[in-house]
Amino acid sequence: MKYPILYSFRRWPYAIRARLALSYIDFNFEHREIHLKNRPNELYAISPKGTVPVLHLNKTTVLDESLDIILWSNDNYSNQN
């Protein structure tokens, strides 16, 4: 995995705010748009809930709530300054 992966749905408000938080800190990530009616098995493999957004940072760290992604973004941004 070259970059962390964000599983998202274009019009889902929680996914939108996660994308905005990551964009605000200029975080490089791979964006994978999913269809809610046809969710990929790889999403369920990292997050059994199958909801979006999901940020797969590495083998051991998965954030599957938009608020967690925002808080992580805030902490990551704060550490850069």
Side-chain angles (χ1 to χ4, degrees):
M1 178 168 54
K2 184 175 180 181
Y3 292 110
I5 301 169
L6 178 69
Y7 295 89
S8 179
F9 179 66
R10 178 179 344 160
R11 297 181 306 259
W12 193 245
Y14 300 109
I16 292 169
R17 72 183 196 173
R19 287 193 312 269
L20 286 171
L22 294 172
S23 295
Y24 182 76
I25 65 168
D26 200 27
F27 183 70
N28 291 323
F29 62 94
E30 179 183 336
H31 180 235
R32 292 194 184 167
E33 186 75 21
I34 65 160
H35 299 281
L36 296 178
K37 292 183 179 181
N38 188 20
R39 298 171 195 187
N41 290 332
E42 64 190 55
L43 176 63
Y44 287 108
I46 61 169
S47 178
K49 294 189 306 184
T51 60
V52 292
V54 173
L55 181 61
H56 187 198
L57 291 168
N58 55 46
K59 290 182 180 182
T60 59
T61 307
V62 174
L63 304 174
D64 63 357
E65 293 288 337
S66 62
L67 182 57
D68 293 337
I69 295 170
I70 291 168
L71 294 173
W72 179 88
S73 298
N74 187 44
D75 291 344
N76 197 27
Y77 180 75
S78 298
N79 291 336
Q80 293 177 359
N81 293 328

